[in-house]
Amino acid sequence: MSRIGAWFRGSAPKLSPTVSQADLRAKEIAAMEDAMASTAMIMNDDIEGAEERLRKGDSSFHHLGMAVCIFMRSILGFEKEIMAEASSRLIDCENTSWNEMKKAQKEAKAGEDRIYPPGSEYSLVIADSQLMSAIIAVLHESLTEALRGFYRLRKAYLTLDEIMQAEAAYLKKKGLSSDFSKEQLTSSSSSTSGARDNGTDDTDTDLEFVDADEAHSGAQTPLNYEGHLTKNSNPPEKRFSKLSLSSDATSKPQPEKPGTPLSPSSPSSSSSDIFNNPVDIFVHSGANMCFGSLLLLLSMVPPTFSRLLSIIGFRGDRERGIQMLWQSSQFNNINGAVGGLMLLSYYNGLLSFADILPSDEDVEKGAIVGYPRARCKALLAQMRARYPDSGLWRFEEARILGNNKDLHGALRVLKSNTKSKMRQVTALNSFEMALNSMYIHDYADMRDNFLRCVELNDWSPTLYYYIAGCAELENYRNAYHSKEKDEFQIQLHKKKTEELLLKAPTVAGKKRFLAKPLPFEQFVARKIQKWEERSKELGIDLVDAVGVSPAEEMTYLWNGTKKMQIPELEMSEKVLQWDRLTAPEEARKKIKAELDEQATRDVCRAAVARELGKLDEARELLDSILAMDKLAFKGPTKDDYALPAAHYEMAALAWFEVQKPELRRDDNEEGEYGEDWLREKVEECQSWLDKVARWEAFVLDARIGMRVQTGMDTIRWYKREHGWAAA
């Protein structure tokens, strides 16, 4: 029987190793593309559809896609149970991908011409999982979990860095130019991987952070593939011009085929020549998206925290991160979509907080740290064409309008975008509506939209109730100072204001960051305590004990003045006047005499004056704050952010003069501002920023710190462009 069996086995045709390998590659590619297409449905507001399709697959890529869906739900909703589920799925995905990576490395043939090491597609999946796990851990209420998150973040950082170095080495070997200069490609990698290779990484003192190097010999690629990588002949700028504020999902341009690079606004036109198979496209677009996001986010942390991160091997690089995200956004896949979303979130969200930025003219000349308005519009048009049913991109359209000082246009878009299939997108939309209503001083809509946020999202109900109370306070003050003196309306708004303000601290402490209360929740608790103590001391009602307009204070902290036009700015000047107070005259005098109250008011007024071009008035207001005793800002209920904010505003004033020297009044000069004067103003700006960067801890130091960090990046860019040595 054994001989007969052997005879039958011998007579069976032998499978060609090449055909077998091709079949395995084809299966891997099919699973990858199906998982990416399924996950991309999230970007079209169809997270349930994405999950349904992903459940049908069992590859590492499907596991990653499913984890992404739950991760998106967890971070947008900040629900603890969903975070726990996401963490579990991410760990499973990481383990599965590890096994696949090892298998790919074992089966790889030596000597093959590859861009990436064998199994890099699975290394990328592991890094993706580690990044998402790290984010969830940092958002966790446990400090221990947060520390574990930083460890996973570092592992992802090193993995992505190695992938990008492999790509750079391949391009160099082929004599091809990378999308980044040699200096950019090695700026962060040389300090991590290079140091590890030489055994001289003195930042790693904890042995637990040492990762063993794996043997790498090249990337796994298909044997034969012809991808759809033709250029898009319809420019995004042209498609954007066809989208109106009232446009809907019924008449959008047809999206391009998957894998197609975004053409006119892309940083490189040679991507389709270099990356011409789906595995390389996946790794290239994914590594650029992940590493670009990581480098960008690390570059924006406050200066004190960034120094701590650099000790354990984290170094952000804003310019390189942004360029990598633009590179990723070329591709019509989930990586490109997330890269595009990160760019729009950065430009329309985080960068909108900043004041010290390159001018529009400098951005047109290539200043990477600035806000490229035309390019963002083109990117948005591309994303809306790819995902026509998504409210997320309509939300970004509104933010672009807001950054262009068209707040009323932004509100029209937001009000037509309230029925997303994803509750999380609706919550973002409502929050943006609330902020924009605050900037145009529509206090009724501001109140209602912030209360709507309480229903849609439980990230910080304390903040939502507080700012809704700030809006109702302005309604009360309007009624109180109205000529009609409608007593019913006065008491109605007063009662509602007190109800909302007192509600805020009762729901505090439910969310924590790095095991600490959220900064704005600490801020709100201090404010309410301050007003309650003042109320008892002066013998007046809580609502009448409020001093400078807290709505205008919130506007300053979100930098809403930057989005205002002259009518809104002039209204802010009126709202910040002392005669808006409702306390009796004696009590009013005592409120006005408090130094931190004066400083808070004058910081807000200085920002408004700067936007109106009243630079001398702004400087006088800030000088009065700088002359105050630091001890006046010490105490559990003092507004301790006002003094460092005044220093930051002095930096912003100096930069404003650099950008618009014609607004500077100087009777001793005739309007001639040469390079020496420019350099002096830039150094002045740098000096003020350095002082804030070294400031001791205060409640809102992270929020002010983001503005400072962006300003420092801008100053470094400006000095480099002018050939000046860094200070």
Side-chain angles (χ1 to χ4, degrees), residues 256-504:
E256 323 91 286
K257 297 177 182 180
T260 307
L262 186 156
S263 180
S265 63
S266 62
S268 168
S269 60
S270 60
S271 296
S272 60
D273 299 326
I274 303 169
F275 307 100
N276 56 8
N277 70 71
V279 175
D280 287 348
I281 289 171
F282 171 73
V283 176
H284 176 70
S285 62
N288 275 280
M289 180 272 291
C290 290
F291 205 28
S293 300
L294 187 54
L295 291 175
L296 177 60
L297 292 173
L298 289 173
S299 75
M300 293 187 297
V301 300
T304 52
F305 197 49
S306 65
R307 285 193 288 272
L308 174 62
L309 290 177
S310 68
I311 293 174
I312 57 174
F314 291 122
R315 291 174 179 84
D317 187 331
R318 187 172 305 213
E319 293 188 35
R320 185 186 177 201
I322 290 171
Q323 289 204 33
M324 293 176 83
L325 287 169
W326 278 114
Q327 178 67 9
S328 176
S329 71
Q330 293 184 77
F331 296 94
N332 184 8
N333 56 30
I334 182 62
N335 294 327
V338 174
L341 181 60
M342 280 295 300
L343 284 167
L344 292 174
S345 297
Y346 165 69
Y347 287 123
N348 299 330
L350 294 172
L351 210 62
S352 67
F353 293 142
D355 304 284
I356 303 173
L357 295 168
S359 65
D360 289 344
E361 293 77 12
D362 286 328
V363 172
E364 289 178 3
K365 296 175 184 176
I368 194 69
V369 293
Y371 179 44
R373 299 179 191 277
R375 201 174 181 189
C376 284
K377 287 181 179 180
L379 176 61
L380 177 62
Q382 186 74 41
M383 293 302 167
R384 287 196 64 193
R386 292 180 188 174
Y387 309 105
D389 297 329
S390 176
L392 190 59
W393 309 110
R394 293 277 285 162
F395 165 75
E396 291 296 345
E397 178 185 344
R399 296 214 292 183
I400 285 180
L401 290 171
N403 284 331
N404 287 330
K405 297 182 181 289
D406 185 4
L407 290 170
H408 293 278
L411 280 167
R412 284 194 295 273
V413 174
L414 292 167
K415 288 177 180 178
S416 68
N417 190 43
T418 58
K419 296 181 180 180
S420 170
K421 290 186 288 184
M422 290 178 63
R423 180 173 59 90
Q424 296 86 352
V425 174
T426 303
L428 289 172
N429 199 80
S430 294
F431 187 75
E432 191 70 15
M433 272 200 293
L435 289 177
N436 287 352
S437 297
M438 179 168 69
Y439 303 154
I440 66 169
H441 307 95
D442 186 341
Y443 299 120
D445 274 4
M446 172 185 166
R447 174 201 61 210
D448 293 343
N449 283 317
F450 274 114
L451 290 177
R452 176 71 172 147
C453 289
V454 176
E455 301 171 6
L456 293 169
N457 178 275
D458 67 347
W459 170 240
S460 183
T462 295
L463 182 63
Y464 303 150
Y465 279 121
Y466 174 77
I467 307 185
C470 295
E472 195 61 12
L473 175 67
E474 297 303 332
N475 287 330
Y476 165 61
R477 289 181 171 180
N478 287 340
Y480 184 90
H481 294 291
S482 173
K483 294 180 180 179
E484 288 76 14
K485 289 289 182 181
D486 187 331
E487 193 62 30
F488 174 78
Q489 287 295 320
I490 292 174
Q491 294 304 319
L492 178 68
H493 290 303
K494 184 175 185 178
K495 182 180 179 181
K496 187 65 175 177
T497 301
E498 184 171 354
E499 175 187 322
L500 291 169
L501 291 178
L502 292 178
K503 177 75 172 177

Side-chain angles (χ1 to χ4, degrees), residues 466 523 525-531 533-534 537-538 545-550 553 556-557 576 578 581 588-605 621-622 624-646 695 698-700:
Y466 174 77
F523 173 84
R526 289 162 65 107
K527 279 286 186 182
I528 301 301
Q529 183 184 348
K530 178 179 185 176
W531 295 335
E533 292 176 357
R534 184 186 287 164
E537 179 186 345
L538 301 179
V546 179
V548 61
S549 168
E553 189 178 14
Y556 173 76
L557 292 172
L576 285 165
W578 283 126
L581 272 59
R588 189 180 301 188
K589 288 180 180 179
K590 293 181 179 179
I591 294 172
K592 291 163 61 177
E594 295 179 19
L595 290 183
D596 66 321
E597 196 78 31
Q598 294 177 27
T600 299
R601 174 175 178 260
D602 287 346
V603 163
C604 296
R605 292 172 66 202
L621 290 167
L622 295 172
S624 68
I625 301 172
L626 299 177
M628 293 178 181
D629 186 352
K630 273 191 174 184
L631 293 177
F633 300 88
K634 303 287 186 180
T637 63
K638 297 296 184 180
D639 294 325
D640 59 351
Y641 79 90
L643 194 54
W695 208 272
F698 56 97
V699 172
L700 297 177

Side-chain angles (χ1 to χ4, degrees), residues 108-149:
K109 293 181 179 180
E112 289 184 348
D113 188 30
R114 308 179 182 93
I115 299 178
Y116 305 105
S120 287
E121 60 270 40
Y122 298 108
S123 297
L124 178 60
V125 172
I126 292 170
D128 272 338
S129 302
Q130 289 170 339
L131 278 175
M132 289 186 282
S133 294
I135 292 171
I136 291 174
V138 170
L139 294 175
H140 203 276
E141 295 180 6
S142 166
L143 183 59
T144 303
E145 287 297 318
L147 292 174
R148 289 175 182 168

Side-chain angles (χ1 to χ4, degrees), residues 229-239 242 253-257 260-265 382:
L229 293 169
T230 55
K231 297 296 179 187
N232 182 2
S233 60
N234 192 7
E237 293 91 338
K238 183 177 180 181
R239 289 195 299 280
K242 296 178 181 179
Q254 292 298 315
E256 323 91 286
K257 297 177 182 180
T260 307
L262 186 156
S263 180
S265 63
Q382 186 74 41

